[in-house]
C-alpha cells in the first residue's frame, strides 16, 4: 500500500464553511489517499457532517478549494453535479431511505439513476443486499425495519454503484455494539474491494478498534494532537 | 423509457383522486372549447351554403330593345365579381312565379298581360359574396341606363356574418381562457405531487440522479392527464353531437345542409394539443420546483 501514498483522491485547501456568522469549518487543509480508510472524529457540532457535505456538493465552501478525483468542486457546473455524486456512496446520518419504496427499489434507484442497463440491476442489487444480510427483506418497506436493518440497507445503497468513495456519517450511531461491528465489517469489505472510505463518528469503541488514520475536528478546526 | 412510464403510472395511481379531478376538469374545458369550435365549423358551413345561393335580380327597363338587352348582358358580365348573367324572359319569369306559388298559381291565369319585366339573374364569384361587395355591385349595376331595379334579398346574410364574427372572437377568448385554465390545473396537480415527493426527489439527487431522470415521469404524467382529459372531453362532445343529430335531424338549416363533427385528424390534433398543454403544465411546476 505504501506505493499509493500521496496519491490523493480528495484534497482540501484552506477550506472554510460559514453558516451566517457561525463558522462550521475553519481553514481545513487535508489530503485523503486513494483507498484510504479514514476516520473523522470530534464532538457533536465539530463539523463532521459539514465536512462530508462539502465533498459531494451538498453545500458549497465559503472559502478555499476542494478537489475530488481530479474535479475542482468550485468549477463544476450545476449539470455536472450528478456525475460528481455518482463517485460517492453516502450513508447519511439519518439514513435517508425512501419510505414508500421497497428495500430493493431503494437500492436499485442508484443504478437506475446512473443509467445502468436494466438487465444488470437485479443481480447487482441482490448481491449487495446479500452482503449486508438483507436479501430476504428486499420487499419490505423501510419503516417496517429496525434501525440496524435500515442502516444496513443504507450501506447497501451506498455500495451498490461501486463508488470510488464511501462516506459514512455516524454509521453506527444508534446501534448496539454487535450491530455496529457488523456495519463496520461491511465497510471493511468495501474498503478491501478498493473503495476509499471516510467514516465520521464519535463512537470511541469504533475508534479504539480502528488501526488507520483518524483526524479530529474541534470547533471546525483540524486538531493536530493525538485524537483518542 | 419504460421505467419512466412506470414511475408516472405509479404516481397517477398513488394520487388517483387528484388525477381524476384534474382529468375531469381538463375534459370539461376541452369539451366547452371544442363545442364552440364545432359551432363555428357548422355555422360557417351554413353561411357558405347560403352564400352560394346568393344571386341578384337585375330588372330591365320595359322600353329596352333587343340590342340594348344583349349589350346589358355583356356589360354585366364585364363587371368584376360577376360570374354569370342569366337572361330571364318575361315568360320564364311568369313560369317561375307560377312554380313558386304552387296551388295559388291559378290566380295568375286571370292575368291578361304579363306584368313581369325582363330580368337578368346575376350569380357572383366566390370572393364577391360578402355584403359590402354586394352593395357595391348593386349600386354599379343600378347605374346602367337599361336597368330599372336591382334586388338582392339576402342583406341579412351580412348581419349573420358579423354576428358569427363576433361569436368567433368570444370563442377565441374562451379558448384562450380554457387553455390557461388547463395549464394551471395540470401545473397545480403536478406541484402537489412534487410536494408529496419532495423528500424522495432530494434523495434521488443526493444519489446522483440527473434533473432529466427526475423530471421525465412528471412530464409523462402531465401528458397523460392532458391527453386523457381531452380524449374524454371530445368523447363526451361527440356523444352530445350524436344525440342531437339523431333527435333533431339535420339541424333545420335546410335539406342540403349536413351537420358534421370534427374530422378524425382534428380529433387527433385536439388530443395531441391536450398532451402539449399537460406537458406545459408540468413544465411550469418543475421550473418552479427544481430551480
Ligand atoms: N444548515 C445549517 N445552518 C446553520 N448552521 C449549521 C447548518 N449545518 C450545520 N450547522 C452548524 O455547523 C456546526 C457543525 O455542524 P455539523 O452537523 O457538521 O456537526 P457534526 O460534527 O456532524 O455534529 P454531530 O456529531 O452532532 O452530527 C454546528 O454548530 C451546526 O449547528
Ligand atoms: Mg453530524
Amino acid at each position: 500500500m505504501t506505493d499509493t501514498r500521496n496519491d490523493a483522491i480528495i484534497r482540501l485547501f484552506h477550506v472554510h464553511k460559514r453558516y451566517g456568522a457561525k463558522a462550521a469549518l475553519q481553514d481545513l487543509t487535508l489530503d485523503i489517499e486513494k483507498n484510504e480508510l479514514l476516520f473523522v472524529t470530534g464532538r457533536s457540532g465539530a463539523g463532521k457532517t459539514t465536512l462530508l457535505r462539502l465533498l459531494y456538493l451538498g453545500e458549497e465552501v465559503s472559502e478555499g478549494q476542494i478537489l475530488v478525483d481530479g474535479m475542482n468542486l468550485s468549477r463544476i457546473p450545476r449539470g455536472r453535479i450528478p456525475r460528481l455524486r455518482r463517485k460517492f456512496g453516502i450513508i447519511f446520518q439519518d439514513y435517508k431511505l425512501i419510505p414508500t419504496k421497497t428495500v430493493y427499489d431503494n437500492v436499485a434507484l442508484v443504478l437506475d439513476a446512473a443509467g445502468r442497463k436494466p438487465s444488470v440491476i437485479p443481480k447487482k442489487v441482490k448481491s449487495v443486499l446479500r452482503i449486508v444480510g438483507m436479501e430476504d427483506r428486499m420487499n419490505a418497506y423501510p419503516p417496517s425495519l429496525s434501525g440496524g436493518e435500515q442502516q444496513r440497507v443504507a450501506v447497501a445503497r451506498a455500495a451498490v454503484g461501486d463508488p470510488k468513495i464511501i462516506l459514512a456519517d455516524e454509521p453506527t450511531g444508534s446501534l448496539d455494539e454487535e450491530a455496529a461491528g457488523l456495519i463496520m465489517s461491511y465497510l471493511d469489505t468495501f474498503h478491501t474491494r478498493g473503495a476509499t472510505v471516510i467514516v465520521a463518528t464519535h463512537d470511541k469503541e469504533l475508534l479504539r478498534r480502528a488501526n488507520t488514520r483518524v483526524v479530529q475536528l474541534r470547533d471546525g478546526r483540524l486538531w493536530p494532537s493525538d485524537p483518542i | 423509457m419504460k421505467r419512466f412510464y412506470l414511475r408516472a403510472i405509479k404516481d397517477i395511481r398513488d394520487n388517483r383522486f387528484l388525477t381524476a379531478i384534474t382529468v375531469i376538469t381538463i375534459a370539461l374545458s376541452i369539451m366547452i372549447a371544442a363545442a364552440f369550435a364545432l359551432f363555428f365549423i357548422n355555422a360557417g358551413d351554413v353561411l357558405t351554403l347560403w352564400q352560394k345561393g346568393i344571386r341578384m335580380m337585375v330588372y330591365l327597363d320595359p322600353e329596352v330593345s333587343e340590342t340594348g338587352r344583349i349589350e346589358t348582358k355583356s356589360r354585366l358580365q364585364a363587371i368584376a365579381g360577376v360570374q354569370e348573367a342569366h337572361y330571364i324572359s318575361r315568360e320564364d319569369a311568369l313560369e317561375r312565379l307560377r312554380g313558386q306559388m304552387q296551388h295559388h298559381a291559378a290566380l295568375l291565369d286571370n292575368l291578361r298581360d304579363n306584368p313581369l319585366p325582363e330580368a337578368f339573374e346575376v350569380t357572383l364569384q366566390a370572393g364577391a359574396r360578402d355584403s359590402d361587395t354586394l352593395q357595391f355591385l348593386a349600386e354599379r349595376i343600378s347605374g346602367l341606363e337599361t336597368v330599372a331595379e336591382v334586388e338582392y334579398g339576402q342583406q341579412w346574410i351580412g348581419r349573420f356574418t358579423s354576428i358569427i364574427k363576433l361569436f368567433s372572437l368570444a370563442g377565441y377568448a374562451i379558448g384562450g381562457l380554457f387553455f390557461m385554465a388547463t395549464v394551471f390545473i395540470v401545473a397545480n396537480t403536478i406541484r402537489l405531487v412534487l410536494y408529496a415527493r419532495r423528500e424522495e426527489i432530494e434523495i434521488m439527487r443526493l444519489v446522483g440522479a440527473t434533473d432529466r431522470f427526475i423530471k421525465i415521469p412528471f412530464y409523462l404524467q402531465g401528458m397523460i392527464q392532458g391527453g386523457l382529459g381531452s380524449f374524454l372531453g371530445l368523447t363526451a362532445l361527440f356523444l352530445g353531437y350524436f344525440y342531437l343529430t339523431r333527435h333533431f335531424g339535420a339541424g333545420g338549416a335546410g335539406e342540403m345542409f349536413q351537420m358534421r363533427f370534427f374530422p378524425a385528424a382534428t380529433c387527433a390534433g385536439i388530443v395531441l394539443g391536450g398532451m402539449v398543454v399537460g406537458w406545459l403544465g408540468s413544465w411550469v411546476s418543475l421550473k418552479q420546483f427544481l430551480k
Side-chain angles (χ1 to χ4, degrees):
Chain A
M1 277 288 143
T2 39
D3 55 344
T4 62
R5 296 297 293 180
N6 289 325
D7 190 4
I9 191 165
I10 295 173
R11 318 193 73 170
L12 294 97
F13 304 98
H14 304 291
V15 168
H16 292 255
K17 178 63 191 176
R18 287 181 283 270
Y19 293 105
K22 162 92 193 156
L25 288 177
Q26 295 181 71
D27 200 24
L28 204 67
T29 297
L30 180 68
D31 276 8
I32 299 167
E33 315 292 328
K34 244 178 207 151
N35 196 220
E36 185 173 351
L37 170 57
L38 174 76
F39 285 89
V40 179
T41 184
R43 328 197 150 81
S44 181
K48 305 181 291 294
T49 300
T50 304
L51 169 60
L52 299 188
R53 285 170 61 79
L54 290 178
L55 298 181
Y56 59 85
L57 274 179
E59 293 281 355
E60 284 174 23
V61 297
S62 305
E63 224 178 285
Q65 302 266 332
I66 300 178
L67 292 174
V68 173
D69 199 23
M71 296 171 99
N72 185 337
L73 299 198
S74 49
R75 300 237 183 87
I76 293 183
R78 206 188 114 82
R80 286 284 206 81
I81 293 178
R83 254 182 57 171
L84 169 75
R85 294 204 175 145
R86 285 176 204 165
K87 293 182 187 294
F88 291 99
I90 311 168
I91 302 157
F92 298 94
Q93 198 161 4
D94 54 355
Y95 316 147
K96 289 203 195 303
L97 298 175
I98 300 169
T100 53
K101 282 186 190 292
T102 61
V103 165
Y104 176 90
D105 285 337
N106 263 283
V107 177
L109 172 68
V110 175
L111 301 177
D112 202 8
R116 298 290 184 87
K117 272 209 300 283
S119 56
V120 306
I121 292 178
K123 201 169 152 239
K124 196 97 191 93
V125 173
K126 280 174 198 161
S127 103
V128 75
L129 282 175
R130 193 175 311 126
I131 294 175
V132 300
M134 289 297 291
E135 199 192 13
D136 53 339
R137 301 298 307 276
M138 69 182 190
N139 292 317
Y141 288 86
S144 70
L145 301 178
S146 75
E149 287 169 332
Q150 289 186 44
Q151 190 69 289
R152 278 143 71 186
V153 177
V155 170
R157 184 183 62 187
V160 73
D162 294 319
K164 289 189 169 172
I165 308 157
I166 291 180
L167 304 180
D169 195 355
E170 218 65 73
T172 58
S174 51
L175 306 182
D176 63 37
E177 212 167 302
E178 194 185 345
L182 212 53
I183 295 288
M184 241 0 264
S185 74
Y186 303 142
L187 290 177
D188 267 331
T189 308
F190 299 122
H191 174 236
T192 44
R193 288 183 178 190
T196 305
V197 180
I198 304 171
V199 184
T201 185
H202 47 210
D203 186 335
K204 293 263 154 42
E205 180 57 30
L206 211 61
L207 292 169
R208 199 165 10 252
R209 279 189 289 168
N211 51 357
T212 52
R213 184 155 73 121
V214 178
V215 296
Q216 185 172 214
L217 290 172
R218 189 171 283 188
D219 294 332
R221 286 181 189 277
L222 214 51
W223 197 252
S225 64
D226 184 20
I228 306 173
Chain B
M1 208 58 211
K2 190 176 153 222
R3 63 212 170 113
F4 291 130
Y5 177 73
L6 290 177
R7 249 164 70 200
I9 294 290
K10 186 179 184 311
D11 264 355
I12 286 176
R13 288 223 317 250
D14 289 352
N15 301 283
R16 250 170 267 129
F17 186 67
L18 192 63
T19 307
I21 297 229
T22 310
V23 168
I24 288 170
T25 322
I26 295 171
L28 281 174
S29 302
I30 294 279
M31 199 175 85
I32 293 168
F36 255 87
L38 200 60
F39 170 74
F40 291 125
I41 287 186
N42 285 288
D45 279 0
V46 172
L47 201 65
T48 31
L49 202 67
W50 279 335
Q51 283 178 334
K52 264 189 204 149
I54 288 183
R55 41 201 44 144
M56 256 181 214
M57 291 308 288
V58 176
Y59 299 106
L60 298 185
D61 202 281
E63 317 286 282
V64 170
S65 65
E66 168 116 21
T67 30
R69 198 189 78 211
I70 292 168
E71 205 175 302
T72 309
K73 177 166 173 134
S74 52
R75 281 176 129 186
L76 283 174
Q77 281 180 332
I79 295 173
V82 170
Q83 190 171 49
E84 170 85 65
H86 176 69
Y87 175 65
I88 295 168
S89 67
R90 302 169 58 163
E91 293 72 34
D92 290 345
L94 194 62
E95 228 15 73
R96 276 198 181 192
L97 189 59
R98 219 184 274 282
Q100 279 165 15
M101 288 176 75
Q102 290 178 4
H103 8 278
H104 304 294
L107 289 173
L108 296 174
D109 295 340
N110 301 328
L111 290 172
R112 244 181 297 134
D113 276 335
N114 182 350
L116 301 174
E118 291 179 292
F120 281 103
E121 187 182 53
V122 174
T123 52
L124 300 165
Q125 284 166 1
R129 287 175 188 150
D130 60 285
S131 59
D132 286 354
T133 317
L134 272 172
Q135 200 180 342
F136 171 76
L137 286 175
E139 269 163 30
R140 249 190 99 176
I141 293 170
S142 323
L144 301 174
E145 66 253 31
T146 50
V147 172
E149 205 189 336
V150 177
E151 199 181 274
Y152 60 107
Q154 287 100 333
Q155 273 103 335
W156 55 271
I157 286 185
R159 244 171 291 145
F160 188 72
T161 314
S162 11
I163 289 174
I164 289 200
K165 273 194 189 133
L166 204 71
F167 261 99
S168 74
L169 274 184
Y172 282 123
I174 288 178
L177 216 67
F178 276 112
F179 169 80
M180 287 193 298
T182 309
V183 171
F184 177 78
I185 292 157
V186 174
N188 223 37
T189 308
I190 299 292
R191 194 189 337 257
L192 287 172
V193 177
L194 277 169
Y195 191 72
R197 292 253 177 291
R198 66 193 184 286
E199 202 192 339
E200 185 178 332
I201 290 171
E202 188 49 36
I203 292 171
M204 283 177 160
R205 291 175 132 181
L206 287 174
V207 301
T210 57
D211 277 358
R212 204 182 77 95
F213 179 85
I214 294 168
K215 283 175 180 173
I216 286 177
F218 292 102
Y219 280 128
L220 283 175
Q221 262 183 78
M223 281 164 69
I224 289 171
Q225 288 170 359
L228 203 66
S230 43
F231 177 77
L232 289 178
L234 264 188
T235 308
L237 186 65
F238 180 76
L239 291 177
Y241 158 85
F242 188 73
Y243 176 84
L244 256 158
T245 45
R246 260 296 163 83
H247 289 258
F248 300 100
E255 314 78 56
M256 286 168 73
F257 176 64
Q258 188 65 55
M259 197 164 150
R260 62 189 173 119
F261 199 67
F262 301 113
T266 309
C267 292
I270 291 174
V271 173
L272 220 69
M275 290 169 81
V276 171
V277 170
W279 182 89
L280 213 63
S282 308
W283 182 80
V284 169
S285 280
L286 287 165
K287 207 170 159 53
Q288 285 178 349
F289 198 84
L290 307 172
K291 311 149 271 120

